[in-house]
């Protein structure tokens, strides 16, 4: 009788635990995580186990280092997408080096975000876990001490994982990747949209020297759009059209945001610019027909 009760209890516990982990399906029917979850989900769940174990096992072993002790009181919030190639590559590697350095897994917190297949939720969590954290790329590793951020790694290490961790341990972290996006996010946290617009040229000049390619601000623009921050998206995508004037994609993204904002004439103008640079662009052609009808 006791054995039977024990089995029933274990089944109920497993069911309850599984129910606490949020999931969603992408357009292809693949299962993904969203929200907070325990690390063992990546290690044990068939949907994620293959890529996690492979990238964990294939990452070279790191010898224990004395400086690692400086990280023993540091918590790391890891925002990732189980649909994201960079997350699949770098999260297992990060866990491997963390284990090799003798640090505790209890210091790591995992938060999965939606992809673009969930409308209005791109790079967001089911309970707004990402809000106020300036997440625009995944994975993002946020290092905290006494609940205060002390460093972050955005998408990929700036140097090597070991070097970046060593710099964080000695309180001299590298500046994270995507400096332009980080600058804009910081600007929006300290000022209103109207203030940013009034200082547009100043921000454009600063961003110009920090941006590596058009994808950086393009992605940030869509993160704003999905979060319902249309005016912020318009500013970011407009800056992108100034910097990459010969790329049809920047005008396409800006036109999409303008159409969402109800600025139909400006949207039409920008879709026309797309076709001037790429006459065969079917998306721009379709969108123009829709806008003309309005």
């Amino acid at each position: 009788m006791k054995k039977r009760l024990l089995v029933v209890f274990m089944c109920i516990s497993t069911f309850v635990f599984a129910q606490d982990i949020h999931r969603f399906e992408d357009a292809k029917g693949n299962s993904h995580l969203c929200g907070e979850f325990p690390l063992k989900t990546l290690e044990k769940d068939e949907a994620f186990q293959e890529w996690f174990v492979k990238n964990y096992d294939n990452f070279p072993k790191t010898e224990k280092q004395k400086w690692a002790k400086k990280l023993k009181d540091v918590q790391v919030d890891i925002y990732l997408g189980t649909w994201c190639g960079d997350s699949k590559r770098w999260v297992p590697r990060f866990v491997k080096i963390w284990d090799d350095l003798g640090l505790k897994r209890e210091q790591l917190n995992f938060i999965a975000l939606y992809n673009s297949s969930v409308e209005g939720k791109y790079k967001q969590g089911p309970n707004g876990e990402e809000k106020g954290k300036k997440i625009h790329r995944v994975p993002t590793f946020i290092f905290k001490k006494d609940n205060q951020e002390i460093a972050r790694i955005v998408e990929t290490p700036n140097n090597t994982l070991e070097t970046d961790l060593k710099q964080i341990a000695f309180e001299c972290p590298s500046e994270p990747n995507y400096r332009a996006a980080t600058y804009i996010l910081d600007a929006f946290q300290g000022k209103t949209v109207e203030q940013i617009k009034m200082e547009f040229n100043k921000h454009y000049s600063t961003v110009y020297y920090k941006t590596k390619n058009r994808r950086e601000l393009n992605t940030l623009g869509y993160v704003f759009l999905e979060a319902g921050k249309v005016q912020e998206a318009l500013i970011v995508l407009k800056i992108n059209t100034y910097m990459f004037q010969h790329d049809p994609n920047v005008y396409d993204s800006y036109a999409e945001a303008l159409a969402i904002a109800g600025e139909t004439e400006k949207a039409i103008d920008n879709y026309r610019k797309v076709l001037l640079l790429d006459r065969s662009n079917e998306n721009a052609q379709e969108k123009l027909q829709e806008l003309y009808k309005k």
Side-chain angles (χ1 to χ4, degrees), residues 171-183:
E171 300 181 2
C172 53
S174 293
E175 187 173 3
N177 297 318
Y178 302 104
R179 296 163 58 213
T182 300
Y183 170 82

Side-chain angles (χ1 to χ4, degrees), residues 41-289:
T41 307
L42 297 180
E43 294 179 306
K44 305 296 183 182
D45 194 300
E46 291 182 359
F48 321 109
Q49 182 183 52
E50 182 178 356
W51 58 260
F52 183 88
V53 173
K54 176 183 176 181
N55 285 305
Y56 182 98
D57 290 344
N58 290 345
F59 193 63
K61 181 177 176 58
T62 302
E63 298 299 326
K64 287 189 176 181
Q65 304 291 335
K66 291 182 179 179
W67 54 258
K69 294 180 180 179
K70 296 178 179 290
L71 297 171
K72 66 179 183 178
D73 296 322
V74 172
Q75 293 287 320
V76 188
D77 293 341
I78 304 172
Y79 292 84
L80 68 145
T82 54
W83 41 269
C84 165
D86 286 306
S87 294
K88 292 178 181 181
R89 185 178 304 111
W90 288 106
V91 171
R93 294 176 177 182
F94 183 90
V95 175
K96 173 68 178 297
I97 194 171
W98 196 261
D99 288 343
D100 288 347
L101 289 172
L103 296 163
K104 295 180 180 179
R105 289 188 169 191
E106 289 75 14
Q107 295 171 251
L108 307 179
N109 308 304
F110 296 85
I111 306 98
L113 306 179
Y114 292 109
N115 67 3
S116 58
S117 66
V118 182
E119 189 174 351
K121 288 289 187 178
Y122 181 49
K123 291 184 180 173
Q124 299 175 42
N127 299 307
E129 292 88 346
E130 83 299 337
K131 291 189 182 302
K133 306 297 193 307
K134 297 185 289 186
I135 306 296
H136 58 97
R137 293 276 175 168
V138 286
T140 292
F141 304 83
I142 300 179
F143 297 78
K144 300 188 301 184
K145 196 168 186 178
D146 298 324
N147 211 33
Q148 296 294 317
E149 180 176 340
I150 58 172
R152 67 171 58 195
I153 297 173
V154 178
E155 196 173 70
T156 61
N158 206 307
N159 305 285
T160 65
L161 264 180
E162 183 174 355
T163 300
D164 278 15
L165 284 172
K166 185 175 183 179
Q167 289 178 324
I168 293 169
F170 284 105
E171 300 181 2
C172 53
S174 293
E175 187 173 3
N177 297 318
Y178 302 104
R179 296 163 58 213
T182 300
Y183 170 82
I184 289 175
L185 287 164
D186 286 339
F188 277 125
Q189 281 200 337
K191 297 185 177 182
T192 66
V193 170
E194 291 305 316
Q195 287 174 320
I196 298 293
K197 286 181 178 179
M198 290 176 64
E199 300 173 343
F200 182 88
N201 289 337
K202 183 191 81 170
H203 295 299
Y204 165 70
S205 298
T206 303
V207 169
Y208 182 87
Y209 293 102
K210 293 179 178 288
T211 306
K212 289 185 176 180
N213 56 57
R214 58 105 180 156
R215 293 188 297 275
E216 178 170 0
L217 296 190
N218 202 64
T219 296
L220 179 60
Y222 278 103
V223 169
F224 279 136
L225 274 181
E226 291 284 330
K229 297 181 178 181
V230 180
Q231 294 304 312
E232 288 88 337
L234 287 172
I235 292 172
V236 171
L237 296 173
K238 182 178 180 179
I239 289 175
N240 224 20
T241 64
Y242 283 16
M243 290 193 296
F244 302 96
Q245 297 179 20
H246 302 293
D247 191 323
N249 290 292
V250 299
Y251 297 107
D252 187 271
S253 298
Y254 186 40
E256 183 178 344
L258 287 165
I260 291 172
E263 299 188 39
T264 304
E265 291 185 7
K266 288 184 179 179
I268 289 173
D269 287 342
N270 279 274
Y271 277 126
R272 284 174 176 167
K273 290 178 182 178
V274 174
L275 294 176
L276 284 173
L277 295 167
D278 179 11
R279 293 181 181 180
S280 62
N281 191 298
E282 294 181 1
N283 180 68
Q285 293 171 1
E286 291 175 5
K287 295 297 183 182
L288 274 174
Q289 291 302 318

